[in-house]
Amino acid sequence: MTTFLQLSVQGIALGCIYALIALGFTVVLNAGVINFAQGSFMLVGGYVVSWLVLSMNVPFLLALPISIIVVALIGMGFERFVLRPMTARPVFTLIMITLGLDIIMRVITVLVFGYDQRTNGDPFGLSGENIGEIRINWADVWIVISTMILLIIFFVFFKFTKYGIAMRATAIDHEAAAAVGINLPLIYMITWAITGLVATIGGVFLAAAPRVLDSNLGFTALRALPAIILGGLGSTVGAVLGGLILGLVEVLISGYVGTGPNQVMGFLGIGFHQVATYVLLLVVLLVKPYGLFGKKEVERV
């Protein structure tokens, strides 16, 4: 039971990070494109925070908002000068453009900051607390708390603010939103700014102690991608729940399947946790083809 609780705590913390990444995917998806550069946004955000704190001696709580602004501006600039001229292009073209941005950002980040592993100067601390036989890392605690606060802020923003409601309306029907006077270019820029914010915070959390920051961090976004399908395409609630489920499944499978004293079904191999989430995704889609919170689209002719 102790092992299960220990793994569950770690799984919830990882699931919160996946939830943030999935939320970033969903926000942009509602604007009409899947952003495969989400991982590189995380990478840039994490490295900018690390550089400001460790090289420029900027306090972490100041470095974080500066990094968010930098990544948000990159996202807004990409939407304004690259995606907007491609509005009439097929969705596949837009997806390939985001893949190209991912490669460019990844290469530039490595050229600027190098391949060496580094910390991000986070204030979470290396130590933790023992609650009974369960070890709680401060990084995990702050990840869960910060994620919950962010989700509450996003809920209030999308539910009660002018621009949040406009973003929801645009996600439902772009043409109808434009017809009632919603400024779509502005909404798209806000969407990409939010993506930069979420990606930066996710990148900082992923590199929080005892983990490190390196050039492979961006690939974690692809591990969170099934969350938006599991929860239901376009559903923010589904993205969050899907991320939490993926984090728990990945950590629990990693802890119980493979080698060690808690081995269960060791024949599956020590790397099975890396594909377990996709197996879960397939099972869920067989039962609910549109995901846990997805809705079947009905087109009236």
Side-chain angles (χ1 to χ4, degrees):
M1 189 62 179
T2 301
T3 301
F4 175 78
L5 292 175
Q6 180 73 69
L7 293 173
S8 296
V9 170
Q10 298 172 3
I12 290 173
L14 180 61
C16 285
I17 298 175
Y18 283 168
L20 286 177
I21 300 172
L23 185 61
F25 275 119
T26 300
V27 168
V28 173
L29 180 62
N30 286 335
V33 62
I34 298 178
N35 178 26
F36 281 103
Q38 186 77 5
S40 289
F41 280 116
M42 293 168 49
L43 189 67
V44 172
Y47 269 103
V48 171
V49 169
S50 176
W51 174 74
L52 287 173
V53 173
L54 300 181
S55 300
M56 304 302 294
N57 296 319
V58 176
F60 178 85
L61 294 180
L62 178 59
L64 181 59
I66 291 175
S67 181
I68 289 173
I69 292 172
V70 170
V71 180
L73 288 174
I74 293 174
M76 294 167 66
F78 176 68
E79 188 282 327
R80 175 62 183 87
F81 298 107
V82 180
L83 286 183
R84 194 176 301 180
M86 298 288 177
T87 301
R89 301 289 183 177
V91 174
F92 178 75
T93 302
L94 301 180
I95 291 175
M96 294 305 297
I97 290 175
T98 65
L99 282 171
L101 175 66
D102 178 71
I103 296 172
I104 292 172
M105 291 178 64
R106 198 180 303 278
V107 170
I108 292 177
T109 302
V110 170
L111 288 176
V112 173
F113 297 104
Y115 288 94
D116 295 337
Q117 292 183 343
R118 57 192 297 164
T119 63
N120 61 6
D122 66 90
F124 304 117
L126 293 171
S127 61
E129 296 290 338
N130 288 328
I131 301 179
E133 297 182 0
I134 302 174
R135 180 68 175 176
I136 305 294
N137 291 323
W138 283 118
D140 292 340
V141 173
W142 281 109
I143 286 170
V144 174
I145 293 175
S146 301
T147 301
M148 294 300 105
I149 293 174
L150 277 175
L151 293 179
I152 292 172
I153 292 174
F154 280 132
F155 172 79
V156 173
F157 174 76
F158 288 123
K159 189 75 173 179
F160 299 108
T161 68
K162 172 183 176 181
Y163 291 112
I165 295 173
M167 288 177 66
R168 289 166 53 204
T170 303
I172 295 172
D173 192 323
H174 295 214
E175 295 181 358
V180 297
I182 293 178
N183 187 343
L184 294 188
L186 177 60
I187 294 302
Y188 292 152
M189 289 187 69
I190 294 175
T191 296
W192 281 87
I194 291 175
T195 298
L197 182 153
V198 174
T200 300
I201 295 176
V204 170
F205 283 161
L206 276 175
R211 294 177 290 270
V212 294
L213 178 65
D214 61 32
S215 58
N216 294 319
L217 179 140
F219 293 112
T220 305
L222 297 179
R223 285 163 40 199
L225 186 59
I228 65 174
I229 304 174
L230 179 65
L233 290 175
S235 171
T236 53
V237 175
V240 173
L241 182 59
L244 289 172
I245 292 174
L246 288 187
L248 279 169
V249 169
E250 182 176 323
V251 173
L252 288 173
I253 294 295
S254 176
Y256 281 111
V257 177
T259 60
N262 302 307
Q263 175 180 317
V264 178
M265 295 186 295
F267 64 89
L268 293 175
I270 60 176
F272 180 72
H273 67 280
Q274 297 177 354
V275 298
T277 53
Y278 292 93
V279 174
L280 173 65
L281 176 63
L282 290 175
V283 172
V284 171
L285 292 181
L286 287 174
V287 179
K288 300 198 67 174
Y290 295 92
L292 297 176
F293 289 88
K295 296 181 180 179
K296 182 178 180 179
E297 294 186 2
V298 178
E299 184 175 349
R300 293 179 175 85
V301 180

